[in-house]
Amino acid sequence: MFEIQLNHVIFHLQFIYYIIIFLTLRKVKKIYLENYSGVSIKTYDWLFKFTATLSFIYIIALLKNIIKFSQFDIVSTYFKIGIHLLIFLLICWYLYKALNNPELFKQIDSTLKLIKNSIPQQQPNKEVLIHEQENIEKLRNYMKEQQSFLNPSLTIQNVSDEIEIPVKELSLLINHKLNQHFYDFVNSYRINYAKNLLSDSTQNKRTVLEILYDSGFNSKSSFNTAFKKETGTTPTSYRKNLIINT
């Protein structure tokens, strides 16, 4: 009886565990947005979906336990069968992802911290402000000339190595001085590049899907979301409006 009671206590304590996980994922998302531009964000999306699925199974198991001690205890048997089926499907999904998307499981730098924890408390002097402005211009010129944003796997470390600005300093410039996550900063260049392709009459035969991949995006959903955030409309509507106006 003691073991059964202990198991029930541990089972219900999982509720706190899932809350902690979701809070951690929220923090991880901010870190990803501050340091990665595309492909690595998939890792966060996958982790969130996997955790959400586990939480859903936990809720079903919780309902099963409640029904088990009611007059509808027979229903709990069907819940139990459903839980086993969901766990089996989850394992299959996990294996499928692992085999077809090995990049989801590559190591992410665990030493990364939120940029707000690195913001200096003191006001910068004139020399520091001039130095920061010079680095911002250096960064913008690099993005325009080298078009590194076309690389869907671009990270802030890649940019740091190219323009020889320390990662921490570069992250402060983008996230604190330009008030953008690295993810949004890079996507703004990708969107402008895509807009040029969509407005180019010589590119009319090319599909939106081809243009999004050429612009550095790695999925249609992320492209549509970023494009609508930047322009207020979808890529297809943007192209149609250009044709009508022309």
Side-chain angles (χ1 to χ4, degrees), residues 10-216:
I10 293 174
F11 176 79
H12 290 90
L13 283 175
Q14 287 184 54
F15 179 74
I16 300 174
Y17 172 72
Y18 281 113
I19 292 176
I20 294 172
I21 289 179
F22 279 112
L23 290 175
T24 303
L25 284 174
R26 184 181 179 183
K27 179 181 177 181
V28 167
K29 182 180 181 180
K30 291 182 180 179
I31 292 176
Y32 274 30
L33 291 174
E34 289 175 357
N35 295 276
Y36 302 100
S37 68
V39 175
S40 296
I41 303 299
K42 279 186 173 182
T43 304
Y44 166 79
D45 292 336
W46 180 85
L47 282 172
F48 182 84
K49 290 175 182 177
F50 186 78
T51 306
T53 305
L54 283 175
S55 302
F56 178 70
I57 294 174
Y58 168 74
I59 292 172
I60 293 177
L62 194 62
L63 289 173
K64 177 189 75 69
N65 285 346
I66 295 173
I67 296 173
K68 184 178 180 181
F69 298 102
S70 70
Q71 57 181 332
F72 306 104
D73 58 315
I74 187 66
V75 179
S76 67
T77 304
Y78 296 105
F79 269 82
K80 189 175 181 179
I81 295 172
I83 290 169
H84 285 299
L85 179 61
L86 285 173
I87 292 174
F88 171 74
L89 292 174
L90 183 64
I91 293 172
C92 291
W93 178 46
Y94 184 92
L95 292 174
Y96 173 80
K97 282 287 186 180
L99 292 172
N100 292 277
N101 301 276
E103 72 277 1
L104 293 176
F105 300 89
K106 69 180 181 181
Q107 184 177 0
I108 301 295
D109 189 356
S110 60
T111 62
L112 293 174
K113 297 180 180 179
L114 289 173
I115 193 63
K116 66 179 182 180
N117 298 329
S118 303
I119 297 175
Q121 300 299 319
Q122 298 179 345
Q123 292 293 328
N125 55 43
K126 186 177 180 180
E127 291 183 0
V128 172
L129 290 173
I130 293 174
H131 177 69
E132 288 176 344
Q133 191 59 41
E134 288 176 349
N135 281 339
I136 288 174
E137 290 301 317
K138 185 178 182 181
L139 170 64
R140 286 173 172 165
N141 290 333
Y142 165 76
M143 295 297 288
K144 290 177 182 178
E145 294 171 4
Q146 301 300 321
Q147 295 187 327
S148 59
F149 54 86
L150 298 180
N151 175 13
S153 302
L154 184 69
T155 67
I156 198 169
Q157 182 67 58
N158 299 143
V159 179
S160 171
D161 293 339
E162 288 292 328
I163 62 178
E164 298 180 345
I165 296 177
V167 173
K168 185 178 179 180
E169 185 177 343
L170 182 59
S171 185
L172 277 169
L173 284 175
I174 298 172
N175 292 279
H176 184 51
K177 297 299 180 180
L178 300 180
N179 294 317
Q180 285 183 298
H181 291 310
F182 179 72
Y183 180 80
D184 294 327
F185 172 75
V186 175
N187 276 352
S188 64
Y189 285 91
R190 290 170 176 167
I191 292 300
N192 286 330
Y193 188 84
K195 285 166 65 177
N196 289 332
L197 292 179
L198 290 169
S199 59
D200 189 349
S201 58
T202 62
Q203 305 289 330
N204 285 342
K205 292 184 179 180
R206 303 188 66 197
T207 65
V208 172
L209 191 65
E210 290 174 324
I211 289 175
L212 78 88
Y213 284 123
D214 286 346
S215 302

